Amino acid sequence: MRKAGLCVGLRTDSGLDNNTLSIFHEMKMAALVQKSMAGDPQAVTAADITRMATVEGGRIAGLPLGSLAVGSWRISV
């Protein structure tokens, strides 16, 4: 889907469908499944998976989320 230009995001769903709500678990599983299905250990990179869980996930949700760049978050302490 990504090769076709579609935005692919990762998220957690609910405890009813899975026994964890960890985005890190979802990131790991997404990478393992893609590499296994493609038969290529380099089918998806860590940067690709991180982008799916941050920037692309935020874009799909319609939220300005995802960037881990300096100045991308306004935080009050």
Side-chain angles (χ1 to χ4, degrees):
M1 291 191 303
R2 295 183 80 233
K3 287 181 182 179
L6 297 173
C7 183
V8 176
L10 297 176
R11 61 172 232 167
T12 60
D13 197 2
S14 75
L16 298 174
D17 299 330
N18 199 346
N19 62 352
T20 181
L21 293 175
S22 170
I23 190 64
F24 299 107
H25 177 77
E26 299 302 324
M27 292 166 70
K28 177 181 176 181
M29 292 306 298
L32 291 174
V33 167
Q34 290 302 307
K35 292 174 182 193
S36 175
M37 295 297 291
D40 178 7
Q42 297 178 341
V44 65
T45 66
D48 293 334
I49 293 295
T50 302
R51 192 173 311 105
M52 286 182 221
T54 56
V55 177
E56 293 182 16
R59 192 166 80 200
I60 290 170
L63 302 170
L65 302 175
S67 177
L68 299 175
V70 173
S72 64
W73 288 91
R74 294 185 186 129
I75 300 173
S76 298
V77 178

